[in-house]
Amino acid sequence: MLTKFGEILLKTAMIVFLSWLATPAQAEQASLSYDQFFLRHSATMMLIDPDTGSILDANNAAADFYGFDQDTLRRMSIQNINQLTAEQVEAERQLAKAEHRNFFIFRHKLADGSVRSVEVHSTPVDYNGRKALLSVVHDISDDRQREQELWHYKNRLEEMVDSKSAELSSAYNARNQWMLGLVGTLGLSLVVVSFLLLERHTAHKRLRSSEQRLREIIFGTNVGTWECNVQTGEVVYNERWAEILGYSLAELQPVSRQTWYRLTHPDDVEKSEQKLAEVFSGAREAYDNEIRMRHKEGRWVWVLDRGRVVEWTKDGKPLRMSGTHSDITRLKKTEEAVRRLAMTDHLTGLSNRAHFSQSLAENVAIADRDNRKFALMMLDLDTFKPVNDSHGHPVGDALLQAVASTIKRCTREGDVVTRIGGDEFAVIIGDYAEEKDVLACATRIYREVSRPMEIKGKDINISISIGVSFYPDDADDAKSLITHADQAMYEAKKSGANVLTYEAYRMRVAS
């Protein structure tokens, strides 16, 4: 005998398969069958894209159950409905696999905001030439409610038995002639009590099993957990929370809210406090923040800190909050490597144009804020094209690499050296003592680049022209600063001056 869900899945698969093999007339009839079966079936059913989670189709029963019309459901994703996080969904899938279940238990949110416990049976089908999951959804919220009511009923029954036993005991002491009835009643009571004790033992086993599954889920997701009494500052951490920072939980005892403050980077504490205040005021539904925490070895560990208020006081103040810590250090290092790669010139290893623009804007902002100065050099090789044409691109590329290394060697560690493109370079020099120091640096670059070089067995002689402008003396914005440095550079190239400031360029133009 097939289960109700088995019949649904089998019929749907047959309809899809027959539609694929059918003639046009038969296909039309199969489409009608699909309409009659899927769309009008009383069971809540949806077709879901397994890759994106998009809802491809939903029947009338799904629209009635979720409170959305079918067109709205078809524009939604299953993630809009499922209240479990991606980690919780994966944990439920692993639990179903371990328990040999062919269904999943999720929490789905309806249009009216209520959340229902549902049992979801899914099977892969071919839908309009693409793979889809046919999901049959069964509302088990009432079953869960009945379990709760049964538990309360059993408790009331225990109280009734205790009360009845007391009454019978009193009757026994008062009147011996009721002994036979009392013995019978006590016997019946013992049977009931035995039954209740057995049920209580079974419920206790279920509770322990649920707690064990929860521990396994937490262990599987490899996260640290924390619980905090917002009003008193009392905090409970699990062992994994301490392990992320290289400690055992015993080493951190006694733990409190101050433990978190002591280990968290000062810059991140302020940001966390701001986000927590938004949660406590109701502006945010949940707390979510990336913070740095000091490892036992002295290094910083990146942690994704998440939490929710799980209990409020009667006057609307946050009482208890629970959350998790996840180690995201490796992810942050990957992000930094990608960011660094995106800001680096692939040929020379210098910063690229994107990083140059960002650094120039940052230097302008710092100079305006702190009333400071900085200088910009624009550099261009004078005879690069003939060298490239005569000896080929491999020699040209090697020459650019050598020039980049020379410029880098002639500047300071904090200066930003950039290959703008082709044979053009730029240097941002911040926090210099006097303008003569900048000119000395430019002259040193010109002298070193102009020395004869051997590149891939070729003797190369090349020169470079350099234009210099100063902020804010020569310009009041980044664009003008670049323009003025370029003008000085081209004048230096044209006149053979080699190194020229924008002020000298203006004097030449004026004369």
Side-chain angles (χ1 to χ4, degrees):
M1 292 295 290
L2 290 174
T3 65
K4 180 178 180 181
F5 293 115
E7 291 178 0
I8 292 172
L9 298 180
L10 179 59
K11 288 178 181 179
T12 302
M14 290 176 63
I15 289 171
V16 174
F17 178 70
L18 291 174
S19 297
W20 178 61
L21 294 176
T23 65
Q26 293 170 331
E28 181 178 359
Q29 180 60 37
S31 175
L32 178 60
S33 299
Y34 169 78
D35 178 67
Q36 292 173 338
F37 170 72
F38 177 77
L39 296 180
R40 302 178 187 178
H41 199 283
S42 60
T44 300
M45 294 189 288
M46 294 185 289
L47 285 167
I48 299 172
D49 188 317
D51 297 323
T52 66
S54 299
I55 299 175
L56 304 175
D57 202 356
N59 67 358
N60 298 334
D64 292 339
F65 175 64
Y66 289 107
F68 298 102
D69 59 60
Q70 289 170 292
D71 288 339
T72 300
L73 281 172
R74 291 168 188 142
R75 291 193 297 271
M76 294 172 66
S77 167
I78 192 63
Q79 288 88 348
N80 301 135
I81 293 174
N82 196 349
Q83 296 302 290
L84 300 187
T85 64
E87 293 83 358
Q88 291 171 329
V89 169
E90 179 59 27
E92 165 61 11
R93 294 184 186 279
Q94 294 301 323
L95 184 60
K97 182 178 179 181
E99 295 179 348
H100 304 291
R101 286 194 273 114
N102 62 347
F103 61 89
F104 306 105
I105 296 176
F106 296 138
R107 298 280 287 168
H108 282 190
K109 188 173 184 179
L110 310 188
D112 62 6
S114 62
V115 178
R116 307 287 290 179
S117 296
V118 296
E119 186 177 282
V120 180
H121 294 248
S122 295
T123 188
V125 297
D126 191 317
Y127 176 69
N128 292 337
R130 61 194 291 187
K131 290 183 179 179
L133 286 177
L134 173 63
S135 292
V136 181
V137 181
H138 177 56
D139 185 4
I140 61 171
S141 299
D142 292 340
D143 295 341
R144 294 291 176 92
Q145 180 63 31
R146 281 193 290 272
E147 289 179 3
Q148 286 290 102
E149 291 174 354
L150 180 58
W151 183 84
H152 287 294
Y153 172 75
K154 290 173 182 175
N155 281 343
R156 290 196 302 270
L157 189 56
E158 286 180 343
E159 294 174 359
M160 179 191 72
V161 170
D162 292 340
S163 176
K164 188 62 178 177
S165 297
E167 290 177 7
L168 292 175
S169 177
S170 176
Y172 174 80
N173 293 330
R175 302 179 65 182
N176 290 335
Q177 60 267 34
W178 294 103
M179 180 62 70
L180 184 60
L182 176 60
V183 171
T185 303
L186 284 175
L188 178 60
S189 298
L190 287 173
V191 171
V192 174
V193 169
S194 298
F195 172 76
L196 291 174
L197 289 175
L198 178 61
E199 287 296 310
R200 178 183 290 180
H201 176 70
T202 303
H204 184 61
K205 286 179 61 178
R206 280 199 221 98
L207 179 60
R208 283 187 299 178
S209 177
S210 297
E211 291 174 345
Q212 178 64 24
R213 285 199 295 270
L214 179 59
R215 284 193 294 269
E216 290 170 354
I217 291 171
I218 293 174
F219 177 79
T221 54
N222 201 30
V223 297
T225 63
W226 54 266
E227 300 174 39
C228 176
N229 186 310
V230 181
Q231 301 302 317
T232 65
E234 297 178 72
V235 178
V236 177
Y237 301 116
N238 73 344
E239 191 67 39
R240 176 57 186 158
W241 189 95
E243 289 174 356
I244 290 174
L245 304 179
Y247 296 93
S248 67
L249 195 57
E251 291 179 273
L252 295 174
Q253 296 294 339
V255 294
S256 66
R257 181 74 172 157
Q258 293 304 317
T259 307
W260 182 89
Y261 282 110
R262 176 169 53 84
L263 296 172
T264 302
H265 194 287
D267 293 345
D268 297 331
V269 169
E270 182 178 353
K271 183 172 61 174
S272 292
E273 292 289 357
Q274 180 180 350
K275 290 190 174 183
L276 283 170
E278 292 174 359
V279 172
F280 296 159
S281 68
R284 283 177 176 266
E285 184 177 348
Y287 165 75
D288 191 321
N289 195 19
E290 293 181 356
I291 61 175
R292 288 160 291 179
M293 300 192 73
R294 187 177 295 281
H295 194 273
K296 185 179 181 180
E297 298 173 355
R299 55 188 171 88
W300 292 107
V301 176
W302 276 101
V303 171
L304 177 59
D305 189 10
R306 287 176 167 173
R308 285 177 179 269
V309 176
V310 296
E311 186 178 354
W312 301 79
T313 63
K314 292 181 180 180
D315 55 353
K317 294 181 180 179
L319 179 59
R320 289 193 306 112
M321 193 170 184
S322 298
T324 61
H325 272 190
S326 303
D327 187 350
I328 57 171
T329 305
R330 183 177 298 179
L331 175 62
K332 297 296 288 188
K333 287 182 178 178
T334 301
E335 289 177 353
E336 176 60 24
V338 171
R339 188 195 68 80
R340 190 165 52 250
L341 186 63
M343 294 292 185
T344 303
D345 176 59
H346 72 281
L347 177 63
T348 63
L350 301 178
S351 72
N352 60 14
R353 182 183 290 273
H355 185 236
F356 169 75
S357 299
Q358 177 181 316
S359 298
L360 188 60
E362 290 173 353
N363 274 272
V364 168
I366 292 172
D368 290 343
R369 184 190 66 199
D370 299 339
N371 194 27
R372 291 165 56 180
K373 297 182 178 182
F374 72 94
L376 172 65
M377 293 184 198
M378 299 299 291
L379 309 91
D380 187 75
L381 298 180
D382 295 330
T383 54
F384 175 73
K385 189 175 186 304
V387 172
N388 204 37
D389 292 343
S390 300
H391 300 294
H393 292 296
V395 173
D397 289 347
L399 174 59
L400 290 173
Q401 291 169 341
V403 170
S405 178
T406 299
I407 297 173
K408 189 72 175 175
R409 189 172 61 252
C410 292
T411 55
R412 302 171 304 176
E413 182 67 26
D415 296 335
V416 180
V417 183
T418 302
R419 182 188 174 209
I420 298 296
D423 60 347
E424 296 182 30
F425 298 84
V427 179
I428 301 173
I429 300 180
D431 196 24
Y432 60 86
E434 297 182 21
E435 291 185 5
K436 66 179 183 179
D437 299 321
V438 178
L439 294 178
C441 176
T443 302
R444 186 165 59 251
I445 292 172
Y446 167 76
R447 185 177 61 249
E448 292 299 319
V449 171
S450 299
R451 293 181 187 277
M453 291 181 280
E454 182 179 333
I455 306 294
K456 290 188 176 291
K458 308 289 183 180
D459 293 327
I460 304 295
N461 288 289
I462 198 165
S463 61
I464 190 168
S465 297
I466 305 174
V468 183
S469 61
F470 297 91
Y471 187 91
D473 296 341
D474 296 331
D476 56 5
D477 60 66
K479 183 178 180 181
S480 299
L481 192 68
I482 295 173
T483 299
H484 295 165
D486 272 335
Q487 289 174 337
M489 179 193 69
Y490 286 122
E491 180 65 22
K493 185 185 292 286
K494 183 174 67 175
S495 64
N498 306 319
V499 178
L500 196 66
T501 66
Y502 178 65
E503 182 180 6
Y505 160 78
R506 284 187 298 153
M507 294 176 63
R508 285 171 180 257
V509 171
S511 64

